[in-house]
Amino acid sequence: MSFGRSFTVLCPLFLLGVAGTSSGNFRQLPGSTVKPGSPVPIKTNDSGVQKAARYGVYTYNNSSNDIFLFKESHINKATVQVVRGLKYNLDVNISRTVCSKRKHPSLDRCHFQKSKKLRQTFRCHFEVWLTPWLQRVEVLVSNCQ
């Protein structure tokens, strides 16, 4: 079992151009331009990016005074950084849905507002830190304009 766990931890590091040494220290692989711990661009349709964006939206909805829920309408840019888990930096457009906050439906079933008067979109920057082995998610930054 230990082998599986080690493989899971080292696999993302290997993809980032980092290798472990016998002393437990990490070094950069020859020819790699990525430095250990540096943010790396990641596709916006990656499932981890999608989940991190949703956590950011939940944080926004919990702090907003709007009577309607917002959800992500477009993920513009994403990076991931290996730091005792995964830290996602996301630039996301969020838009108002037809779902009211009182009913708390699943955001997956909420459609965007069609009425011109009620349509609203914000551009947000979210920093979301996932620590899967602790089953912990923390939204470090939630800034929407």
Side-chain angles (χ1 to χ4, degrees), residues 6-21 26-37 40 82 86:
S6 296
F7 179 75
T8 302
V9 172
L10 292 177
C11 184
L13 295 173
F14 179 74
L15 292 173
L16 296 176
V18 178
T21 64
F26 291 93
R27 63 176 173 78
Q28 194 165 338
L29 293 174
S32 175
T33 59
V34 177
K35 296 194 185 320
V40 177
V82 178
L86 298 172

Side-chain angles (χ1 to χ4, degrees), residues 8-123:
T8 302
V9 172
L10 292 177
C11 184
L13 295 173
F14 179 74
L15 292 173
L16 296 176
V18 178
T21 64
S22 59
S23 65
N25 295 326
F26 291 93
R27 63 176 173 78
Q28 194 165 338
L29 293 174
S32 175
T33 59
V34 177
K35 296 194 185 320
S38 296
V40 177
I42 187 169
K43 292 183 179 182
T44 57
N45 63 354
D46 177 84
S47 64
V49 170
Q50 301 284 323
K51 288 176 188 173
R54 183 58 57 94
Y55 285 120
V57 170
Y58 284 144
T59 300
Y60 175 82
N61 283 331
N62 287 334
S63 65
S64 162
N65 290 327
D66 202 297
I67 61 169
F68 294 102
L69 292 169
F70 281 73
K71 78 174 183 179
E72 61 281 2
S73 52
H74 187 261
I75 300 174
N76 303 307
K77 183 180 171 186
T79 63
V80 65
Q81 184 177 7
V82 178
V83 284
R84 286 194 183 177
L86 298 172
K87 180 180 168 193
Y88 291 93
N89 290 289
L90 310 169
D91 287 323
V92 181
N93 289 353
I94 65 170
S95 298
R96 185 184 277 151
T97 69
V98 296
C99 297
S100 118
K101 277 189 176 179
R102 281 197 215 159
K103 299 196 179 175
H104 298 290
S106 166
L107 277 179
D108 292 330
R109 293 188 217 129
C110 292
H111 299 287
F112 295 111
Q113 286 286 349
K114 291 187 169 92
S115 165
K116 282 188 179 185
K117 283 184 177 181
L118 294 175
R119 265 190 257 163
Q120 191 170 20
T121 298
F122 295 111
R123 186 169 184 139

